[in-house]
Amino acid sequence: MSIEIYVSTDIETGGPIPGPNSMLSFGSAAFTLEHGLVGTYSANLQELPGSVIDPVTKREFWDKNPEAWAACRKDPQDPMAAMTTYVAWLNNLPGKPVFVGYPATFDFMFVYWYIVNFGLKSPFSFSALDIKSYVMAVLKSDFRESTKRNMPKRWFSKARHTHIALEDAREQGELFMNILREHTCNAHGR
């Protein structure tokens, strides 16, 4: 039986939906329960032909995060080439990749769309693990109450949320692994 590799993924975009808006940058940090961080992948992407930067996204996010904007526009790659390399990286991980996101619905939507749009097969299949939903189950709380401000401080790493895709993927991956380790130990009486 293949072990699960938890691939914490964060993206930065030009707007709310793939296609009309481009994924500008993405980063993935792969973790196992036993070994912790086992690998990373990141890429800045050229914008899709005909896509636009959503004016609300620009005003409400990018104008307030100029360092992150500069980071995601440095050396952008052809999206098809980047996704092909990414899928190969995922397929070479030492186990079955599980997409992990916060929020998974947004990040997975873009990553999955890009993989399929460029004629590739998703190593994640059709599913993703949402950290907030997992927290809801672990804390036995309502979904809307399962926010970072209500999570135990011991779950968080010292990493700062920078809106740079790979840095944020590592940060949220460490958060998820801390929750998973604690929950797994408690569930097995360790």
Side-chain angles (χ1 to χ4, degrees), residues 37-52:
L37 183 68
V38 295
T40 62
Y41 183 92
S42 67
N44 292 334
L45 305 177
Q46 296 167 356
E47 292 180 48
L48 297 169
S51 72
V52 297

Side-chain angles (χ1 to χ4, degrees), residues 11-18 20-24 52-58 62 106 109-110:
I11 67 167
E12 304 302 337
T13 73
I17 56 173
N21 311 122
S22 291
M23 181 166 61
L24 304 173
V52 297
I53 300 291
D54 173 64
V56 174
T57 302
K58 182 181 182 314
W62 289 116
F106 183 74
M109 173 177 59
F110 272 88

Side-chain angles (χ1 to χ4, degrees), residues 107-177:
D107 297 300
F108 183 76
M109 173 177 59
F110 272 88
V111 171
Y112 184 79
W113 187 92
Y114 267 70
I115 289 170
V116 172
N117 185 60
F118 292 113
L120 304 166
K121 182 179 178 189
S122 174
F124 301 117
S125 188
F126 304 104
S127 59
L129 193 158
D130 180 60
I131 295 173
K132 185 174 178 175
S133 298
Y134 187 66
V135 167
M136 176 188 176
V138 169
L139 295 180
K140 297 176 178 56
S141 63
D142 291 337
F143 182 74
R144 301 243 183 252
E145 293 301 313
S146 301
T147 60
K148 288 183 179 180
R149 74 175 180 278
N150 292 329
M151 294 178 196
K153 299 297 179 224
R154 67 183 178 275
W155 288 352
F156 294 91
S157 70
K158 292 181 174 38
R160 187 173 66 88
H161 198 77
T162 62
H163 300 298
I164 295 171
L166 183 57
E167 292 175 8
D168 290 355
R170 286 182 77 155
E171 175 205 18
Q172 77 184 18
E174 290 168 2
L175 169 67
F176 174 71
M177 294 309 296

Side-chain angles (χ1 to χ4, degrees), residues 1-5 31-35 38 94-98:
M1 182 172 144
S2 183
I3 64 165
E4 290 184 331
I5 306 290
F31 294 85
T32 67
L33 196 53
E34 184 177 336
H35 299 290
V38 295
K96 180 73 176 148
V98 176

Side-chain angles (χ1 to χ4, degrees), residues 58-104:
K58 182 181 182 314
R59 182 180 65 248
E60 297 297 320
F61 184 76
W62 289 116
D63 289 351
K64 295 176 182 177
N65 296 286
E67 298 86 14
W69 175 258
C72 83
R73 297 297 69 214
K74 184 177 178 185
D75 301 322
Q77 300 177 32
D78 172 73
M80 182 174 184
M83 298 315 289
T84 300
T85 305
Y86 178 60
V87 168
W89 177 79
L90 290 167
N91 286 329
N92 285 315
L93 289 171
K96 180 73 176 148
V98 176
F99 188 100
V100 177
Y102 192 106

